[in-house]
């Protein structure tokens, strides 16, 4: 399955985007997000960007005040996922121009659309920025 | 770009986002969301809501759920929105339903129809949106409703549609493999798609399929290797490049697939060696992504049939990882080491100090990974040290998930490699004491059996010694508070069985202890049952020995309590005990023989002792017993019931799947031939079929090498670590020696071993800093003991002389090999930029570490203090956006000089732009900077514009949460 969920959570532990690739109830999500964020916040910058949590491995990366957290299973290449996060941020940066937390909040659906292009069934399916953003730009023109 | 046109959102929406963004606590956020729920409930049911407004409501519902509240009242509106004709609205509706619903939700049925319609749409964006939903919300029952259309879309003219159709089929395969079994050949076909995106996506289902059945895909080895080669040779469009690596994510997926296909298959592996070697050479080990690919190469190399040259370069890469300052790389290094030691156990030794550093690192992730490595390299000579460390660590963690795992590993290792029963029991006691509730109850039974059976040899005195020591240790432990239930059961059983066996402790002392246990854990019925059974044994042993039994008052009250217990089991045990107390010695010996827990109890299944009684009854006219199988007639209750059951089942729903339509013969893809066409992989011709079947039938012959691989693994675990020269000199190290050496060896010994080892490990002056303690640990972990053992026997003075030359020799040998490696590398005909990089980097590997830089960049908060001093040459990473946050005036004055370092940061993060790698302190920055600055220029302007816009909308960055405005990429 690979990627189980992708979260964007800020330093205060507030969720900014959540995409799960397996179904969890709202309560389960809430608990999971709380636990993970607490765990990641407790870590220093020098420590690994990977943390084990329950049966997940969390790969996380911090950009300004926003944490990007990706939950993966055991077969994933952690460092590649770390770079996948960066690719996501670069893609958003290309689209929004100097992307910041507020961009994601105001355009939550677009951030989701980008993820939909990049990840399906928990697998990375597209990594070309132009392929990812193409449909989204067309969508903007259409509306 | 995306933020142009005033966001196109209403004031109300902006206010909501603003207040959520500025919320200081979860409680405040919850208040906002609860208020929002009330508003939405009112608004969303109003008549004639404009579509744009409705879209906004839907997104607000998404927010409600995302922040942990129920928004089910609005689901139906999201469903309705999926029917809309406007693609933007439709896609938003689809997005919302995928976020809200799971595949078994009742509302899905309302969407399936829309999906069916949309899959036929002329607008490919609509088709794509529908396929996204198919991947998330179609369950086993609804697959047939969309399957034909999805299959048709595999041939759609738009590559985006083909890609998503492949993934939809993948999803069906994940959900219900049987529903698409006849369509699996499509994945093979799509591997040859003209579009690299479709090909890349197809690797995901193929990876899953190959994981399940490797042999069916052996014919594709050449294809995958050839695709990988083409990717590595930059034949894919530039847009797939990431940080100068050609399509690294596709490379990684391909390497994963090759690892599966080459596992235990020499022939298949041989087809991969060249390309894997090429990729390893080309990897840019200064970038994260380069190291990610490198790591995947190591994983692949350790999985396929071993190749000495590749193993050597894998070992080199691991060495680089472990020596890096980045914890991420160390983590990968440890993991890779754990994979490679199965094949070449000797490589662990050169990294022993790095491993120990990781083990002692405060970073929990690294520590755990290192424990995993230790677990893999445990053998009988180091089991004591490793398990000891594991238990120490286990005691200090709270995470029950991981505690369970490490406890079971301790048990497993102890059971497998225990050097003595004494040690085993002590170790188990520690595990039980600290994680007793987390280990499998089976482990407790194993422990009891071991104590009962002893060594299994004819050595009774040793056995009784073992038991006495167990009894003694338990009497010591039992007074500690809050012991886990399983452990108490073991304690009670052992005390009952052997508490009075050696005559050291009186019956009343042991029974007193047992009553204390029962009293302290009065809520645990199982423990009480074990306790009373133990009492029963001790009393009957006393009676059998002819001693007078005096039941302590507390025991008496305990028995009385159980006589009135609600648990029938406890009651029965108490009554039995009471009955035994009244018996004479002879009977007691028969009921409860001493030390007979291991004797087999013979059960007379035919109940032959009742024969005479049965005979008597029959003679008196009773009906003879007829076995159940021979009875007949409808009156029989059981047969009546079974018939009823049968009827029920014939009326009930059928749960088995209907027979599948006859599977189409899977067409096989031909092994790739190099063609000059632009296609990545030439499409197979239908005429190849007959030929292909032959290929397929020849494949299974490889399978017997699989068992060989299995053997190899086991060998790796058992083998000694040291270099062959050492292990042949001192082939057998008795286990008992290890503790002696550790405790008794003079300090000098440790130091001398440190110097000899450090020479082979690292030629620099590191050995001075390495503490003797670490050395000891290293020695006990990595079979250094075999050397020190030899030393002891030959006298300590001579040691340095005998050891150092050997180490030097090995060092020289290593140098020689690395020299040849360099020589091999240099005459490469096309001088690749990346290749040159690698050679220069390796000379100065210590001085530069890209990850350090990256991590520094991410740490924006700590740098805010330096911002006010608008010094361009400040070493930190000044944050442009937060400058804007202070005041606009400041931006105009201080912004321009600050852009320069910002540009450099950009270069590090987004280094996909320039061909030259970025290194601090190498003087190249000045060259790359101007272009970077140009690139960054318009962005800064953009962000200023955005900032102004946001201000207009009433969201001010000087407000409560300036972080919201912070540029994520620094």
């Amino acid at each position: 399955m690979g990627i189980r969920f992708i979260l964007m959570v800020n330093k205060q532990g507030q969720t900014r985007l959540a995409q799960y690739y397996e179904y969890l109830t709202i309560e389960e999500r809430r608990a999971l997000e709380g636990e993970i964020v607490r765990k990641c916040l407790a870590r220093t910058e020098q420590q690994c960007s990977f943390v084990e949590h329950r049966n997940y491995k969390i790969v996380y990366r911090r950009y300004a005040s926003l944490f990007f957290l990706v939950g993966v299973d055991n077969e994933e290449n952690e460092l590649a996922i770390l770079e996948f996060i960066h690719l996501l941020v670069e893609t958003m940066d290309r689209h929004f121009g100097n992307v910041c937390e507020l961009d994601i909040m105001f355009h939550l659906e677009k951030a989701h659309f980008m993820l939909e292009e990049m990840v399906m069934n928990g697998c990375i399916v597209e990594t070309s920025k132009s392929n990812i953003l193409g449909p989204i730009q067309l969508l903007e023109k259409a509306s | 770009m995306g933020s142009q046109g005033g966001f196109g959102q209403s004031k109300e929406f902006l206010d909501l986002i603003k207040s959520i963004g500025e919320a200081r606590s979860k409680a405040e956020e919850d208040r906002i969301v609860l208020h929002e729920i009330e508003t939405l409930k009112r608004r969303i049911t109003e008549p004639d809501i404009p579509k744009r407004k409705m879209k906004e409501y839907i997104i607000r519902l998404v927010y409600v759920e995302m922040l942990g509240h129920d928004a089910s009242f609005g689901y139906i509106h999201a469903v309705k929105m999926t029917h809309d004709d406007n693609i933007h609205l439709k896609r938003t509706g689809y997005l919302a339903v995928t976020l809200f619903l799971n595949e078994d939700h009742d509302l899905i049925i309302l969407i399936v129809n829309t999906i069916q319609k949309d899959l036929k749409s002329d607008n490919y964006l609509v088709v794509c949106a529908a396929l996204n939903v198919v991947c998330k919300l179609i369950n086993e029952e609804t697959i047939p409703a969309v399957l034909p259309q999805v299959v048709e879309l595999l041939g759609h003219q738009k590559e985006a549609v083909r890609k998503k159709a492949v993934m939809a089929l993948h999803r069906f395969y994940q959900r219900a493999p049987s529903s698409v079994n006849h369509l699996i050949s499509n994945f093979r076909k799509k591997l040859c798609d003209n579009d690299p995106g479709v090909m890349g996506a197809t690797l995901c289902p193929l990876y899953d399929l190959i994981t399940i059945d490797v042999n069916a895909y052996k014919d594709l080895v050449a294809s995958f290797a050839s695709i990988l080669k083409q990717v590595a040779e930059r034949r894919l469009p530039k847009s797939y490049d990431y940080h100068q690596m050609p399509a690294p994510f596709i490379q990684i997926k391909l390497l994963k697939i090759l690892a599966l296909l080459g596992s235990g298959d020499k022939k298949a592996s041989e087809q991969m060696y060249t390309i894997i070697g090429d990729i390893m050479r080309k990897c840019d080990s200064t970038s994260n992504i380069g190291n990610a690919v490198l790591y995947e190469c190591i994983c692949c190399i350790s999985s396929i049939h071993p190749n000495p040259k590749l193993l050597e370069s894998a070992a080199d890469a691991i060495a680089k990882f472990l020596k890096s300052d980045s914890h991420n790389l160390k983590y990968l290094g440890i993991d890779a080491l754990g994979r490679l030691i199965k094949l070449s156990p000797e490589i662990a030794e050169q990294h022993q100090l790095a491993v120990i550093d990781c083990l002692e690192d405060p970073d929990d992730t690294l520590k755990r990974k290192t424990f995993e490595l230790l677990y893999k390299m445990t053998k009988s000579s180091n089991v004591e040290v490793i398990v000891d460390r594991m238990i120490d660590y286990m005691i200090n963690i709270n995470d029950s998930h991981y505690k369970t795992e490490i406890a079971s590993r301790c048990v497993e290792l102890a059971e497998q490699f225990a050097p003595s029963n004494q040690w085993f029991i002590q170790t188990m006691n520690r595990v039980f004491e600290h994680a007793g509730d987390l280990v499998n109850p089976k482990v407790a039974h194993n422990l009891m059996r071991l104590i009962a059976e002893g060594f299994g040899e004819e050595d009774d005195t040793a056995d009784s010694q073992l038991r006495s020591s167990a009894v003694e240790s338990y009497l010591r432990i039992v007074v500690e508070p809050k012991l886990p239930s399983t452990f108490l059961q073991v304690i009670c059983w052992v005390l009952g069985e052997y508490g009075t066996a050696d005559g050291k402790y009186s019956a009343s002392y042991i029974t007193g202890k047992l009553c204390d246990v029962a009293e302290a854990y009065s809520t645990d019925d199982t423990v009480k049952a074990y306790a009373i059974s133990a009492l029963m044994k001790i009393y009957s042993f006393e009676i059998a020995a002819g001693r007078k039994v005096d039941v302590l008052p507390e025991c008496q009250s305990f028995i009385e309590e159980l006589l009135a217990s609600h648990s029938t089991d406890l009651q029965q045990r108490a009554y039995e005990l009471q009955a035994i107390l009244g018996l004479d010695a002879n009977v007691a010996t028969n009921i409860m023989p001493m030390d007979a827990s291991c004797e087999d109890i013979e059960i007379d299944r035919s109940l032959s002792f009742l024969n005479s009684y049965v005979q008597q009854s029959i003679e008196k006219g009773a009906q003879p017993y007829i076995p159940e199988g021979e009875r007949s007639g409808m009156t029989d209750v059981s047969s009546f019931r079974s018939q009823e059951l049968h009827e029920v089942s014939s009326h009930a729903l059928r749960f088995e799947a209907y027979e599948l339509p006859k599977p189409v013969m899977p067409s096989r893809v031909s092994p790739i031939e190099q063609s000059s066409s632009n296609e990545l992989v030439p499409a197979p011709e239908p005429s190849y079929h007959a030929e292909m079947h032959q290929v397929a039938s020849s494949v299974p012959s490889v399978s017997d090498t699989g068992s060989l691989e299995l053997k190899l693994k086991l060998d790796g675990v058992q083998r000694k670590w040291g270099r062959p020269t050492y292990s042949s000199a001192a082939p057998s190290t008795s286990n008992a020696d290890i503790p002696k050496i550790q405790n008794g060896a003079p300090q000098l010994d440790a130091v001398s071993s440190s110097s000899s080892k450090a020479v082979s490990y690292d030629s620099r002056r590191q050995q001075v800093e390495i503490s003797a303690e670490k050395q000891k640990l290293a020695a006990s972990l990595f079979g250094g003991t075999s050397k020190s053992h030899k030393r002891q026997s030959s006298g300590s003075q001579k040691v340095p002389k005998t050891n150092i030359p050997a180490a030097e020799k090995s060092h020289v040998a290593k140098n020689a090999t690395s020299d040849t490696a360099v020589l091999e590398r240099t005459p490469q005909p096309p001088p690749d930029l990346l290749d040159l990089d690698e050679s220069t980097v390796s000379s100065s590997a210590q001085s530069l570490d890209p990850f350090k830089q990256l991590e520094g960049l991410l740490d924006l908060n700590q740098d805010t203090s330096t911002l006010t001093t608008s010094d361009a040459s400040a070493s930190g990473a000044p944050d442009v956006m937060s400058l804007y946050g202070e005041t606009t005036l400041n931006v105009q004055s201080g912004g321009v000089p600050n852009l320069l370092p910002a540009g450099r940061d950009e270069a590090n993060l987004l280094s996909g732009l320039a061909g030259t790698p970025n290194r601090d302190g190498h003087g190249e920055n000045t060259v790359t900077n101007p272009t970077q600055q140009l690139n960054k220029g318009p962005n800064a302007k953009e962000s200023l514009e955005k900032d102004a816009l946001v201000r207009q909308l009433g969201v001010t960055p000087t407000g409560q949460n300036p972080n919201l405005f912070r540029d994520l990429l620094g």
Side-chain angles (χ1 to χ4, degrees), chain B residues 763-781:
Chain B
S763 53
R764 262 158 281 153
R765 275 170 287 144
Q766 273 189 356
Q767 61 262 61
V768 192
E769 295 157 33
I770 297 157
S771 71
E773 203 178 316
K774 264 188 200 168
Q775 281 298 334
K776 267 189 209 166
L777 181 59
S780 46
L781 281 177

Short mmCIF file of all heavy atoms in Angstrom, two decimals, chain B residues 763-781:
data_model
loop_
_atom_site.label_atom_id
_atom_site.label_comp_id
_atom_site.label_asym_id
_atom_site.label_seq_id
_atom_site.Cartn_x
_atom_site.Cartn_y
_atom_site.Cartn_z
N SER B 763 41.81 5.44 9.51
CA SER B 763 43.24 5.63 9.70
C SER B 763 43.56 6.90 10.47
O SER B 763 44.70 7.16 10.80
CB SER B 763 43.92 5.64 8.34
OG SER B 763 43.29 6.58 7.51
N ARG B 764 42.58 7.72 10.75
CA ARG B 764 42.89 8.96 11.46
C ARG B 764 43.01 8.76 12.96
O ARG B 764 42.88 7.66 13.47
CB ARG B 764 41.83 10.01 11.16
CG ARG B 764 42.33 10.95 10.07
CD ARG B 764 41.16 11.62 9.41
NE ARG B 764 40.55 10.71 8.45
CZ ARG B 764 39.29 10.75 8.10
NH1 ARG B 764 38.50 11.61 8.65
NH2 ARG B 764 38.83 9.95 7.19
N ARG B 765 43.17 9.83 13.69
CA ARG B 765 43.54 9.71 15.10
C ARG B 765 42.34 9.51 16.01
O ARG B 765 42.31 9.96 17.13
CB ARG B 765 44.27 10.98 15.53
CG ARG B 765 45.74 10.97 15.24
CD ARG B 765 46.31 12.34 15.46
NE ARG B 765 45.91 13.27 14.42
CZ ARG B 765 45.65 14.56 14.61
NH1 ARG B 765 45.71 15.07 15.79
NH2 ARG B 765 45.32 15.33 13.60
N GLN B 766 41.38 8.81 15.52
CA GLN B 766 40.15 8.71 16.30
C GLN B 766 40.31 7.91 17.57
O GLN B 766 39.62 8.15 18.54
CB GLN B 766 39.06 8.07 15.46
CG GLN B 766 38.31 9.08 14.63
CD GLN B 766 37.12 8.45 13.99
OE1 GLN B 766 36.92 7.25 14.13
NE2 GLN B 766 36.34 9.23 13.30
N GLN B 767 41.22 6.96 17.54
CA GLN B 767 41.23 5.99 18.62
C GLN B 767 41.41 6.63 19.99
O GLN B 767 41.00 6.09 20.99
CB GLN B 767 42.31 4.92 18.38
CG GLN B 767 43.71 5.45 18.29
CD GLN B 767 44.09 5.60 16.84
OE1 GLN B 767 43.47 6.34 16.10
NE2 GLN B 767 45.12 4.91 16.42
N VAL B 768 42.02 7.79 20.04
CA VAL B 768 42.26 8.43 21.33
C VAL B 768 40.94 8.75 22.02
O VAL B 768 40.81 8.62 23.22
CB VAL B 768 43.07 9.71 21.13
CG1 VAL B 768 43.59 10.22 22.47
CG2 VAL B 768 44.22 9.46 20.18
N GLU B 769 39.99 9.15 21.19
CA GLU B 769 38.74 9.63 21.78
C GLU B 769 37.80 8.49 22.17
O GLU B 769 36.87 8.68 22.93
CB GLU B 769 38.02 10.54 20.80
CG GLU B 769 38.79 11.81 20.53
CD GLU B 769 38.40 12.41 19.19
OE1 GLU B 769 37.22 12.29 18.81
OE2 GLU B 769 39.27 12.99 18.54
N ILE B 770 38.00 7.34 21.63
CA ILE B 770 37.06 6.26 21.85
C ILE B 770 37.22 5.70 23.25
O ILE B 770 38.30 5.28 23.65
CB ILE B 770 37.25 5.16 20.81
CG1 ILE B 770 36.96 5.72 19.43
CG2 ILE B 770 36.36 3.98 21.11
CD1 ILE B 770 37.61 4.96 18.33
N SER B 771 36.15 5.71 23.98
CA SER B 771 36.26 5.29 25.37
C SER B 771 36.43 3.78 25.46
O SER B 771 36.01 3.02 24.59
CB SER B 771 35.01 5.69 26.13
OG SER B 771 33.95 4.89 25.70
N ALA B 772 37.07 3.39 26.54
CA ALA B 772 37.34 1.97 26.74
C ALA B 772 36.03 1.20 26.87
O ALA B 772 35.92 0.06 26.42
CB ALA B 772 38.17 1.79 27.99
N GLU B 773 35.05 1.87 27.43
CA GLU B 773 33.77 1.19 27.65
C GLU B 773 33.14 0.78 26.32
O GLU B 773 32.66 -0.32 26.13
CB GLU B 773 32.84 2.14 28.40
CG GLU B 773 31.75 1.45 29.15
CD GLU B 773 30.92 2.48 29.90
OE1 GLU B 773 31.53 3.38 30.50
OE2 GLU B 773 29.70 2.38 29.84
N LYS B 774 33.18 1.75 25.38
CA LYS B 774 32.62 1.48 24.06
C LYS B 774 33.37 0.33 23.41
O LYS B 774 32.78 -0.49 22.73
CB LYS B 774 32.76 2.72 23.19
CG LYS B 774 31.52 3.56 23.16
CD LYS B 774 31.68 4.64 22.15
CE LYS B 774 30.70 5.75 22.42
NZ LYS B 774 30.99 6.93 21.64
N GLN B 775 34.68 0.33 23.61
CA GLN B 775 35.49 -0.72 23.02
C GLN B 775 35.06 -2.08 23.53
O GLN B 775 34.94 -3.03 22.78
CB GLN B 775 36.97 -0.49 23.38
CG GLN B 775 37.64 0.56 22.53
CD GLN B 775 37.66 0.16 21.07
OE1 GLN B 775 37.63 -1.02 20.75
NE2 GLN B 775 37.70 1.13 20.19
N LYS B 776 34.81 -2.10 24.82
CA LYS B 776 34.40 -3.37 25.42
C LYS B 776 33.10 -3.83 24.80
O LYS B 776 32.93 -4.97 24.43
CB LYS B 776 34.21 -3.19 26.92
CG LYS B 776 35.44 -3.52 27.72
CD LYS B 776 35.06 -3.54 29.19
CE LYS B 776 36.22 -3.15 30.05
NZ LYS B 776 35.80 -2.84 31.41
N LEU B 777 32.19 -2.86 24.68
CA LEU B 777 30.89 -3.19 24.13
C LEU B 777 31.06 -3.69 22.71
O LEU B 777 30.48 -4.71 22.31
CB LEU B 777 30.00 -1.94 24.16
CG LEU B 777 28.59 -2.13 23.63
CD1 LEU B 777 27.86 -3.19 24.41
CD2 LEU B 777 27.84 -0.83 23.68
N ALA B 778 31.87 -2.99 21.96
CA ALA B 778 32.11 -3.38 20.58
C ALA B 778 32.66 -4.79 20.53
O ALA B 778 32.22 -5.62 19.74
CB ALA B 778 33.08 -2.41 19.93
N ALA B 779 33.59 -5.05 21.42
CA ALA B 779 34.21 -6.37 21.42
C ALA B 779 33.19 -7.45 21.70
O ALA B 779 33.16 -8.48 21.05
CB ALA B 779 35.32 -6.41 22.46
N SER B 780 32.31 -7.17 22.65
CA SER B 780 31.37 -8.22 22.99
C SER B 780 30.26 -8.36 21.95
O SER B 780 29.69 -9.43 21.81
CB SER B 780 30.77 -7.97 24.38
OG SER B 780 30.39 -6.63 24.50
N LEU B 781 30.00 -7.27 21.24
CA LEU B 781 28.95 -7.37 20.22
C LEU B 781 29.46 -8.00 18.94
O LEU B 781 28.77 -8.77 18.29
CB LEU B 781 28.42 -5.98 19.88
CG LEU B 781 27.44 -5.36 20.85
CD1 LEU B 781 27.09 -3.98 20.39
CD2 LEU B 781 26.19 -6.21 20.92
#
